[in-house]
C-alpha cells in the first residue's frame, strides 16, 4: 500500500562487520545533512561510519580515553559531516563534546570546544546551526565557529527537564518537549514564543514517559513518547500541537499507538514510522491513517531494538538484537521516485 510520494525502498539489510569486534546493536543513529553518511554508536564499543552511497566501506570509529564517552553513555549525537566531526551529549551531568574524525584513522579526537551539558542535540538541515537542549533552556550555536549565538528560555516556570529539541527545516523555529508532553516553540528571528497548555485541556501525560523523537514544521510540533511497564512492555504515545493556532487549544492532543516494537515521528511531522518486532515497516499520518508499508527487511531472526530517521525525513534505519542493520529510503512528496539515491 502507499501514496505516490511515499515509496519505502530497502537499501540494505546487513550484519555488522565482524572484523570491527562490535557485538552490540547501535543505540544512537546520526545521519549527515545530505543523507550520504550514517553514524551508529554501539554503547562503549565505539561507532561505525557507514557510506549510504556505497562508494566506500564501513569504517570503525573509536573514542579516546580522554573523553566523557569512555565513561558515560551517549544520550544523543549529531554527525556534522565527515570533516565537521561529531557532537555527543551525555545528559545534564557532563558537558557535550565535539570530536573530529581523523583522516582514515579509526580514532576520534576530542576538540577543545567548550559546549554546555545537554540532554539532546540537533543540527539544522543546512548544517549551519546547532541546538542543544539543556535542563531548562535551548542554546543555539554556530556550527562553523562553535560560538553560542542565542539562548532560548521559556516564559513560564518549568518543572521537568527538556528532553528533545528540534529546528524547523527553514531555520525559523526551534522547539522542545518535556517528559509530560509539554511543548515550547520559539521564533529564531523574532520574539515569537508559545508554550502548550497541557493541563488546561487535559493533555498532560503522567510520570514515567520518555521522549524518543520530535518533529517541527511551520505550524505543528509533534513528539513520540514511550513508557515501559513493570512487565517490560512498551506503550507509545503521539503528542501533537498546532502552535500557530490561537484561542482554545483544541489542536493539542495525545493519541496512543497501536501495539508496536518501535515508533518515531518524522522531523517534517508529515508522518510517523512504526515497526513491528519482526521489522515490518509502516508509515501513518497523525490520525494513524496508513500511508505506506513494506515487509522488505522483516525477519523472525532477531527483534528490532533501536531506530533512527534522518533530518530530511527521507532515510530510516533500524537495528536488531542479532546486530543486523536495515536502512530504508522513504520517499516524501518533494522526492522523485526515479531519482537515484541519495537524491
Amino acid at each position: 500500500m502507499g501514496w505516490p510520494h511515499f515509496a519505502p525502498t530497502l537499501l540494505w539489510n546487513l550484519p555488522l562487520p565482524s572484523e570491527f569486534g562490535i557485538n552490540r546493536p547501535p543505540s544512537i543513529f546520526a545521519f549527515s545533512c545530505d543523507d550520504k553518511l550514517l553514524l551508529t554508536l554501539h554503547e562503549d564499543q565505539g561507532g561505525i561510519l557507514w557510506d549510504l552511497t556505497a562508494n566506500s566501506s564501513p569504517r570503525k570509529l573509536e573514542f579516546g580515553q580522554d573523553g566523557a564517552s569512555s565513561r558515560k553513555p551517549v544520550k544523543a549525537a549529531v554527525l556534522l559531516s565527515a570533516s565537521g566531526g561529531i557532537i555527543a551529549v551525555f545528559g545534564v551531568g557532563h558537558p557535550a563534546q565535539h570530536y573530529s574524525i581523523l583522516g582514515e584513522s579509526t580514532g576520534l579526537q576530542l576538540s577543545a570546544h567548550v559546549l554546555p551539558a545537554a540532554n539532546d542535540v540537533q543540527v539544522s538541515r543546512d548544517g549551519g546551526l546547532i541546538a542543544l537542549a539543556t535542563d531548562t533552556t535551548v542554546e543555539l550555536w554556530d556550527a562553523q565557529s562553535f560560538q553560542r549565538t542565542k539562548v532560548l528560555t521559556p516564559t513560564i516556570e518549568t518543572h521537568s527537564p527538556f528532553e528533545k529539541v528540534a529546528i524547523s527545516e527553514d531555520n525559523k523555529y526551534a522547539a522542545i518537549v518535556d517528559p509530560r508532553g509539554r511543548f515550547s516553540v520559539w521564533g529564531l528571528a523574532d520574539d515569537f514564543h508559545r508554550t502548550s497548555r497541557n493541563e488546561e485541556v487535559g493533555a498532560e501525560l503522567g510520570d514515567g514517559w520518555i521522549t524518543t523523537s520530535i518533529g517541527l514544521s511551520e505550524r505543528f510540533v509533534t513528539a513520540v513518547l514511550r513508557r515501559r511497564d513493570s512487565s517490560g512492555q512498551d506503550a507509545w504515545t503521539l503528542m501533537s500541537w498546532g502552535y500557530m493556532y490561537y484561542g482554545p487549544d483544541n489542536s493539542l492532543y495525545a493519541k496512543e499507538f497501536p501495539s508496536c516494537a518501535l515508533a518515531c515521528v518524522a522531523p517534517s511531522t508529515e508522518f510517523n514510522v512504526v515497526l513491528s518486532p519482526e521489522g515490518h515497516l509502516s508509515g501513518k499520518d497523525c490520525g494513524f491513517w496508513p500511508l505506506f508499508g513494506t515487509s522488505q527487511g522483516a525477519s523472525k531472526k532477531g527483534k528490532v531494538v533501536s531506530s533512527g530517521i534522518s533530518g530530511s525525513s527521507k532515510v530510516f534505519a533500524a537495528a536488531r538484537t542479532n546486530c543486523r542493520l536495515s536502512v530504508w529510503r522513504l520517499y516524501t512528496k518533494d522526492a522523485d521516485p526515479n531519482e537515484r539515491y541519495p537524491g
Side-chain angles (χ1 to χ4, degrees):
M1 60 182 175
W3 285 10
H5 53 277
F6 291 111
T9 303
L10 183 68
L11 300 180
W12 67 43
N13 179 15
L14 301 172
L16 302 182
S18 58
E19 65 271 21
F20 290 172
I22 295 177
N23 55 18
R24 295 176 186 170
S27 55
I28 303 291
F29 298 81
F31 293 85
S32 60
C33 294
D34 59 7
D35 289 347
K36 293 182 179 181
L37 298 174
L38 168 63
L39 171 71
T40 56
L41 297 182
H42 304 253
E43 299 180 4
D44 59 352
Q45 295 185 330
I48 300 175
L49 186 64
W50 305 83
D51 183 349
L52 298 183
T53 65
N55 288 327
S56 60
S57 301
R59 179 177 164 193
K60 184 176 182 180
L61 298 176
E62 297 176 322
F63 292 97
Q65 295 302 308
D66 55 345
S69 55
S70 64
R71 305 182 299 274
K72 297 178 66 67
V74 178
K75 291 194 66 173
V78 293
L79 175 62
L80 301 178
S81 66
S83 57
I86 300 162
I87 295 177
V89 299
F90 308 91
V92 295
H94 194 284
Q97 293 185 332
H98 172 256
Y99 296 86
S100 298
I101 301 174
L102 301 176
E104 298 302 317
S105 165
T106 61
L108 289 168
Q109 183 176 22
L110 178 64
S111 75
H113 300 304
V114 179
L115 298 170
N119 288 319
D120 191 34
V121 58
Q122 287 296 332
V123 61
S124 61
R125 289 287 298 119
D126 62 6
L129 186 65
I130 300 164
L132 294 129
T134 70
D135 218 11
T136 57
T137 66
V138 174
E139 294 196 12
L140 302 178
W141 288 66
D142 183 275
Q144 302 300 319
S145 66
F146 283 90
Q147 297 295 311
R148 184 170 58 194
T149 60
K150 198 170 189 177
V151 177
L152 306 175
T153 305
T155 55
I156 63 174
E157 184 180 0
T158 58
H159 301 285
S160 300
F162 296 164
E163 284 196 330
K164 289 292 180 183
V165 62
I167 304 172
S168 63
E169 186 172 0
D170 57 10
N171 284 7
K172 290 183 177 180
Y173 299 96
I176 57 86
V177 61
D178 70 17
R180 292 182 175 270
R182 185 164 67 172
F183 296 104
S184 286
V185 182
W186 293 267
L188 300 187
D190 53 33
D191 59 358
F192 176 89
H193 174 53
R194 291 193 70 196
T195 297
S196 60
R197 303 175 181 178
N198 298 52
E199 302 92 338
E200 295 181 16
V201 297
E204 185 176 40
L205 300 179
D207 296 329
W209 291 93
I210 298 172
T211 311
T212 60
S213 58
I214 184 174
L216 178 63
S217 67
E218 29 179 62
R219 290 189 176 273
F220 290 92
V221 58
T222 307
V224 171
L225 300 95
R226 173 181 60 83
R227 182 168 64 181
R228 181 163 294 173
D229 62 24
S230 57
S231 65
Q233 297 298 309
D234 289 337
W236 299 85
T237 289
L238 176 77
M239 291 289 303
S240 184
W241 181 40
Y243 63 90
M244 281 297 183
Y245 295 92
Y246 288 85
D249 221 340
N250 297 328
S251 65
L252 176 66
Y253 66 90
K255 188 177 181 67
E256 291 186 7
F257 281 90
S259 178
C260 61
L262 294 172
C264 78
V265 62
S268 66
T269 73
E270 288 188 15
F271 59 94
N272 311 297
V273 181
V274 178
L275 281 172
S276 71
E278 294 78 23
H280 293 273
L281 180 145
S282 61
K284 305 176 185 298
D285 65 13
C286 286
F288 293 163
W289 183 263
L291 300 177
F292 61 85
T294 182
S295 59
Q296 291 181 340
S299 172
K300 293 183 179 180
K301 296 180 179 180
K303 303 299 183 183
V304 293
V305 290
S306 58
S307 64
I309 190 168
S310 68
S312 70
S313 304
K314 293 181 181 180
V315 188
F316 182 80
R320 297 176 175 276
T321 52
N322 61 0
C323 290
R324 292 190 73 89
L325 179 69
S326 299
V327 180
W328 294 265
R329 170 70 183 265
L330 309 176
Y331 290 103
T332 50
K333 62 185 179 183
D334 62 339
D336 179 358
N338 298 313
E339 192 175 30
R340 181 180 180 274
Y341 178 80

